[in-house]
Amino acid sequence: MAERVIHPLAGQQARPEDLYTREQITTWYENPGGPLQPIKNGTSGHRGHTGVGFSQFHVAAMTQALVDIRRERGTFGPVLPEELKDKPLGPLVMGKDVRFASDLAQQTAVEVFAGNGMKVLLHRGGRSTPTPVVSHAILSRVARGEKVEGVIITASHNPPEDAGYKSNGLDGGPNTRTAPIDEKGNYYLEHRDQIKRLPYQAAVEKGLVEEIDLITPYVRELGGVVDMDRIKKERFAVTPLGGSAHGYYEAVNAMYGTQIEVVLAEPDPTSSNRTYDWDGKLRGDPSSHYVMMAVQGIREKLRVPFIGANDNDADRFGGEDGTGILNPNHVLCVLFDYLAAHRDFPAAMGVGRTIGTTHLLDRIAAHYGRPAYEVNVGFKHYVAGLQAGKYVLAGEESAGVSFPRRDGSLWVTEKDGIAAVLLMMEVIATTGKDIGTLYRELEKQYGPYQYEREDQPARPEQKARLMQLAADPNQVKALLFGKKVAGRTIERLVIGDGIKVVLSGGVWVLKRASGTENIIKDYREELGESLATARKASEEIGAYLGLN
């Protein structure tokens, strides 16, 4: 694989000539040129480049597929609770991010749901609605006995020319039952005349579209998740980075009297206020040092100890304090340590981490006598455990996290970047210390952990090879049988969504294929002062598996 090269524009302000207009996106969405890519749901729904992998035809086909599945099974999600089996199908809660394509896709999806007689609930005025807010709305209504599910039109942190579509079942979480959506959706992509649609205005007139307030119920219950009384004693700042969290922190201020200054507050569908990521793309990833350059110097100017950040659909967190831009793994460790020490959660509740997340969480869990659970990449693998009250915190290295209400009961079954940023503020207000300082204290207690993730360009055949191996555990075991890697013994293999090799002495390497780009994601961690052994191990594992 080629080495990652930092783009010369990384960290610089977006140039006008690189921005796409609403007219361009609309043309691509409505009149795609050339062959369309098939529908393929990954770890978080279907995503694609507008006009190629995402168009009005993709959205209509996926929506009709969801309708069919819902009618056949009573839900398009994986779980149909016994108490809801005989209930009539309720409405759909629909959220979206701020992209131009998301506005267009929302109209398409509404028209297909309405054409099939299914009612859709939207936030008033056509504004965007974050992923965790949709999860909260589903769970709140299901708790009242309604058969409500959701759709979120977002490509998360991807660049603005990309778009996405995902579904959330009755459990409020990311839909794990996506193979039927792909199958039926691709059928309808080829048989578009079988899709039922009702023009948007006609849907409104028939009462199949209802605009409601989704902000207030969510914000009202946030006070049961984080300690607003502590937060309001200190001034903080936050940026939605032009995404769908706009208006939410303002609502928190109005309801709780907090002092959170919101910067780059307005929706930014073109990403004009963003800075380029490492590869020259305008991602909305708040965990990226280059993306966070968009708010460089603002924290000092405002004289606040911390500025938080969210991505396009507000399911990811980021931030900067006096120690610099924060690493998501470090934040997860600090938040888990804080919750374990300051919340009176049952002792059986543990920490959840994905296979690519730091193992320091395991050490912290052991200190508190709590279990640690490892799951595959994708927040959908946490949903059942969150519902069962299994986790003090469930997190992933890509800046996603969920945790319970302060009384230990369920909050949402999605990543919640808004709650995460507010909890970071609570930690700082309570301890009087930066997140980065608290992480260094954890390192002194448990030892230093060095971690890195590299998104390495890969040829299509290299990516295909990795995906083929990840689907064939026996072949991987045969290739690595009896091998020492970087002089270390192989203690454990985790094969599923990638290939993870855990070595003796606190070293592990994970290789995963990107679902949307020709990239192999290479994760490495090593207990100690250096990543030298982990990097050597990564090279040797690549050679053994035929990936280099």
Side-chain angles (χ1 to χ4, degrees):
M1 290 177 290
E3 287 193 20
R4 187 170 90 157
V5 177
I6 303 301
H7 196 280
L9 288 175
Q12 296 184 35
Q13 194 71 35
R15 303 180 304 182
E17 60 265 32
D18 291 337
L19 306 180
Y20 297 102
T21 65
R22 180 183 290 276
E23 290 71 26
Q24 286 174 300
I25 296 294
T26 300
T27 298
W28 295 341
Y29 177 82
E30 294 182 348
N31 302 292
L36 297 177
Q37 292 177 349
I39 293 165
K40 176 61 179 172
N41 280 264
T43 56
S44 190
H46 169 84
R47 295 182 191 173
H49 190 90
T50 305
V52 181
F54 193 92
S55 68
Q56 63 161 319
F57 305 120
H58 291 90
V59 174
M62 285 185 284
T63 306
Q64 187 66 54
L66 290 174
V67 168
D68 290 359
I69 297 165
R70 201 169 187 234
R71 282 186 171 150
E72 290 166 8
R73 301 181 61 252
T75 175
F76 51 60
V79 178
L80 178 57
E82 191 65 37
E83 63 272 20
L84 293 179
K85 282 187 176 176
D86 296 327
K87 296 269 187 179
L89 292 175
L92 283 301
V93 180
M94 189 177 294
K96 67 178 176 69
D97 63 26
V98 304
R99 300 165 201 269
F100 294 137
S102 296
D103 294 342
L104 299 165
Q106 183 179 80
Q107 179 170 333
T108 302
V110 165
E111 290 183 350
V112 175
F113 279 127
N116 288 273
M118 290 189 181
K119 185 175 182 178
V120 179
L121 306 177
L122 306 172
H123 188 84
R124 295 173 187 156
R127 68 154 288 133
S128 58
T129 298
T131 287
V133 177
V134 172
S135 179
H136 175 267
I138 293 170
L139 292 172
S140 298
R141 288 173 176 265
V142 167
R144 299 199 296 262
E146 299 179 46
K147 212 169 188 175
V148 173
E149 300 180 274
V151 162
I152 308 165
I153 300 169
T154 179
S156 189
H157 64 291
N158 281 33
E161 63 270 26
D162 290 349
Y165 185 115
K166 61 182 180 178
S167 55
N168 290 50
L170 295 165
D171 55 16
N175 192 355
T176 58
R177 195 175 182 275
T178 56
I181 303 172
D182 294 344
E183 181 182 349
K184 288 179 178 288
N186 285 313
Y187 172 82
Y188 284 119
L189 202 57
E190 298 295 326
H191 300 83
R192 300 171 197 167
D193 59 319
Q194 296 181 29
I195 298 173
K196 298 177 182 178
R197 290 180 75 157
L198 182 68
Y200 192 92
Q201 189 54 41
V204 172
E205 292 168 359
K206 286 195 170 189
L208 291 170
V209 179
E210 182 181 353
E211 293 194 352
I212 61 174
D213 176 11
L214 288 166
I215 295 179
T216 303
Y218 170 84
V219 171
R220 184 188 300 122
E221 295 195 14
L222 269 174
V225 181
V226 294
D227 191 334
M228 297 294 186
D229 287 336
R230 291 183 184 270
I231 295 172
K232 70 182 182 182
K233 293 176 182 178
E234 179 69 77
R235 289 179 58 247
F236 294 102
V238 73
T239 175
L241 285 174
S244 61
H246 71 92
Y248 279 81
Y249 294 100
E250 293 89 338
V252 168
N253 285 337
M255 191 171 292
Y256 297 102
T258 48
Q259 307 174 72
I260 304 171
E261 179 125 5
V262 186
V263 299
L264 299 182
E266 294 305 310
D268 185 15
T270 65
S271 296
S272 60
N273 291 320
R274 290 205 183 124
T275 46
Y276 296 95
D277 203 356
W278 68 271
D279 58 355
K281 294 185 178 180
L282 288 168
R283 288 191 183 86
D285 181 0
S287 68
S288 166
H289 170 83
Y290 300 103
V291 173
M292 286 295 288
M293 294 293 283
V295 292
Q296 186 179 31
I298 290 179
R299 186 187 63 82
E300 294 92 336
K301 182 179 178 181
L302 295 175
R303 297 182 179 179
V304 293
F306 170 75
I307 180 170
N310 294 121
D311 68 335
N312 289 339
D313 63 324
D315 68 347
R316 295 184 185 218
F317 64 84
E320 177 193 289
D321 64 15
T323 67
I325 294 170
L326 297 168
N327 180 304
N329 271 315
H330 298 181
V331 175
L332 292 176
C333 290
V334 170
L335 294 186
F336 174 53
D337 183 75
Y338 177 85
L339 291 173
H342 291 81
R343 300 282 198 266
D344 188 22
F345 293 153
M349 294 176 72
V351 67
R353 60 166 177 77
T354 57
I355 56 175
T357 304
T358 178
H359 286 203
L360 176 53
L361 287 166
D362 301 43
R363 300 281 299 277
I364 299 169
H367 172 77
Y368 288 103
R370 294 183 179 274
Y373 304 98
E374 184 176 68
V375 304
N376 257 323
V377 174
F379 227 75
K380 58 190 178 183
H381 300 295
Y382 281 133
V383 174
L386 287 166
Q387 285 191 301
K390 189 175 181 179
Y391 306 116
V392 170
L393 175 146
E396 59 185 12
E397 57 77 34
S398 56
V401 68
S402 189
F403 42 88
R405 299 170 193 253
R406 288 194 282 162
D407 64 4
S409 63
L410 176 65
W411 171 231
V412 294
T413 47
E414 271 279 10
K415 297 175 283 193
D416 191 339
I418 297 171
V421 166
L422 291 169
L423 181 58
M424 292 160 76
M425 293 176 182
E426 179 189 331
V427 171
I428 294 167
T430 301
T431 64
K433 298 178 181 179
D434 288 329
I435 299 291
T437 299
L438 292 168
Y439 180 76
R440 286 198 296 268
E441 291 179 3
L442 292 175
E443 282 194 316
K444 288 179 183 176
Q445 184 173 357
Y446 300 106
Y449 277 75
Q450 309 304 321
Y451 179 102
E452 68 181 1
R453 168 184 148 182
E454 285 192 349
D455 291 352
Q456 299 177 332
R459 300 188 304 277
E461 61 268 24
Q462 290 174 308
K463 180 179 168 182
R465 167 74 173 170
L466 177 55
M467 295 173 73
Q468 177 260 317
L469 288 171
D472 189 352
N474 289 332
Q475 186 179 3
V476 176
K477 291 174 184 176
L479 289 169
L480 296 177
F481 179 76
K483 300 285 195 306
K484 281 206 166 188
V485 178
R488 306 287 182 102
T489 302
I490 297 175
E491 291 188 343
R492 186 163 58 97
L493 294 175
V494 182
I495 305 167
D497 184 22
I499 298 169
K500 181 174 182 179
V501 182
V502 182
L503 306 174
S504 58
V507 176
W508 61 266
V509 172
L510 167 65
K511 293 180 182 289
R512 292 182 59 239
S514 167
T516 56
E517 301 174 275
N518 283 326
I519 284 174
I520 288 180
K521 301 177 182 182
D522 206 327
Y523 307 71
R524 310 153 194 155
E525 185 171 62
E526 183 169 347
L527 174 59
E529 300 291 345
S530 166
L531 273 164
T533 301
R535 288 170 177 164
K536 184 179 180 184
S538 177
E539 282 295 316
E540 292 185 10
I541 291 166
Y544 286 140
L545 298 179
L547 299 173
N548 292 351

